[in-house]
Amino acid sequence: MPAQVIVLNGGSSSGKSGIARCLQTVLPGPWLALGTDTLVEALPPALRTAGDGIGFADDGEVSVGPAFRAVEAAWIEGVAAMARAGARIVVDEVFLGGAHSQRRWQRALGGLPVLWVGVRCEAAVAAGREIARGDRTAGMAAAQADLVHRGVTYDLEVDTTRTEAMECARTIAARVG
């Protein structure tokens, strides 16, 4: 059965968003690209700080509080509901909790055809991208490069260290069915 949802998991600045945009170009029909950045941008200012919300420390560490977790759980269920309603979705995610984060998505997406994709990038390369972007907390890319993959199982992995987003997207598209 062809995938209804593609979940891209990787650290900050690993290339997930670029791959998601390329997938929208190479896959037939419309695919929505939704992800962690979309969720964070939609948060009210009160939840964009440490404590109850999501906080970004000077060293790149990300902390999440109970109010953020509640909103995130609703977000995950909402994305799954859109897929169940017929939307095809590329999820751009950062599994800060590794396997635990994946299990939350697996529960929500249960019964749907999902392609789980690990997006890897060497920490030093991701850190360089992070600096070039200028919109990320320094240190986040290096801190997340391996952390987000711990205990996570994938159908496919791509590495953007030396491979362009479009080539990764074509590799993923070939597995969508």
Side-chain angles (χ1 to χ4, degrees), residues 60-87:
E61 183 179 342
V62 179
S63 61
V64 295
F68 175 81
R69 283 287 184 222
V71 170
E72 181 187 40
W75 163 261
I76 291 169
E77 291 296 330
V79 171
M82 288 191 300
R84 283 194 175 78

Side-chain angles (χ1 to χ4, degrees), residues 15-41:
K16 300 175 310 297
S17 298
I19 291 171
R21 285 189 298 275
C22 291
L23 282 167
Q24 289 178 303
T25 301
V26 300
L27 289 169
W31 284 76
L32 301 176
L34 302 170
T36 301
D37 289 344
T38 311
L39 171 60
V40 171
E41 289 168 10

Side-chain angles (χ1 to χ4, degrees), residues 87-106:
R88 291 178 290 179
I89 302 172
V90 178
V91 177
D92 171 349
E93 251 295 357
V94 180
F95 289 169
L96 293 174
H100 175 72
S101 297
Q102 184 178 35
R103 282 191 298 276
R104 287 184 297 148
W105 277 99
Q106 286 170 326

Side-chain angles (χ1 to χ4, degrees), residues 103-163:
R103 282 191 298 276
R104 287 184 297 148
W105 277 99
Q106 286 170 326
R107 280 191 296 273
L109 297 171
L112 291 167
V114 179
L115 181 67
W116 298 93
V117 180
V119 179
R120 295 192 180 265
C121 183
E122 291 176 8
V125 172
R129 292 176 186 169
E130 175 181 75
I131 292 167
R133 287 173 68 161
D135 66 346
R136 294 286 190 257
T137 303
M140 199 173 351
Q144 294 175 2
D146 293 320
L147 171 74
V148 300
H149 299 290
R150 289 188 189 147
V152 178
T153 57
Y154 299 110
D155 299 308
L156 175 67
E157 292 189 42
V158 295
D159 190 322
T160 65
T161 303
R162 291 172 199 77
T163 307

